[in-house]
Amino acid sequence: MVGFSHSGVHIALNNGDGTFQPVRRVFNDFGFDISAGGWLVDKYPRFIADLTGDGCGDIIGFAEGGVYVAINNGDGTFQPKKLALTGFGYNKGWRVRQNPRFLVDLTGDGRADILGFGNGVVYVSYNDGKGNFTEVKPLIEDFGCDGGWTAERTERYVANLFHH
């Protein structure tokens, strides 16, 4: 289990038998408190997704200036946070209520890519497998706020709906 608190990232590792180890803080960033980065829930979403294809969840945070990641070391600890992409940030107009962002494997390589519902277009940034992403580019011209897709009235999801 993973939790983002005021002071950082906390985990409780699974014992493999339906029980969990005690909760412990493993990262002093991505937290609500200013000393832990000032990651406000209503402004800066954070996620856990596999970015490297190793089966371990990495930390991804959408902040003021872009996307930050901390790669999992495979033992419940993480590498230092780094800026992975300057797109999809709050300073570029991305808002939690209007513009949901998802981490999903769009290419079938086992690594999460970023898909974001913009105001008029759905955007994508592909993962390089090392915790970095390609530049943001338009993917489909629909599902945006300008077309009536708003958090108050509609929902948008990303799912595999077709078996190849």
Side-chain angles (χ1 to χ4, degrees):
M1 292 183 205
V2 178
F4 297 97
S5 76
H6 67 285
S7 63
V9 180
H10 299 256
I11 66 167
L13 295 177
N14 186 328
N15 291 318
D17 62 2
T19 64
F20 289 84
Q21 296 176 18
V23 175
R24 63 186 170 101
R25 186 171 57 194
V26 295
F27 207 74
N28 296 325
D29 204 330
F30 294 103
F32 175 82
D33 193 62
I34 292 297
S35 65
W39 291 80
L40 304 173
V41 172
D42 61 341
K43 206 171 177 184
Y44 309 124
R46 291 146 296 169
F47 298 92
I48 302 294
D50 185 359
L51 298 179
T52 61
D54 64 359
C56 295
D58 305 300
I59 304 169
I60 303 95
F62 294 88
E64 189 73 28
V67 180
Y68 287 84
V69 302
I71 302 299
N72 191 324
N73 291 319
D75 61 359
T77 64
F78 297 86
Q79 296 174 20
K81 175 184 79 174
K82 69 175 183 174
L83 179 63
L85 179 67
T86 58
F88 292 113
Y90 191 86
N91 67 353
K92 302 277 186 181
W94 289 85
R95 302 295 184 261
V96 170
R97 297 273 307 145
Q98 292 175 302
N99 311 111
R101 287 150 282 181
F102 293 90
L103 289 146
V104 60
D105 180 6
L106 296 171
T107 60
D109 62 6
R111 303 179 311 230
D113 305 298
I114 301 171
L115 186 120
F117 292 90
N119 290 333
V121 176
V122 176
Y123 293 93
V124 66
S125 180
Y126 297 104
N127 180 346
D128 72 355
K130 298 175 185 154
N132 300 302
F133 296 90
T134 62
E135 287 300 313
V136 177
K137 68 178 189 174
L139 184 64
I140 183 173
E141 292 190 24
D142 205 341
F143 294 111
C145 295
D146 295 347
W149 293 88
T150 63
E152 292 79 22
R153 295 180 290 188
T154 58
E155 295 179 288
R156 293 160 282 182
Y157 298 96
V158 181
N160 185 0
L161 301 174
F162 177 74
H163 188 329
H164 301 278

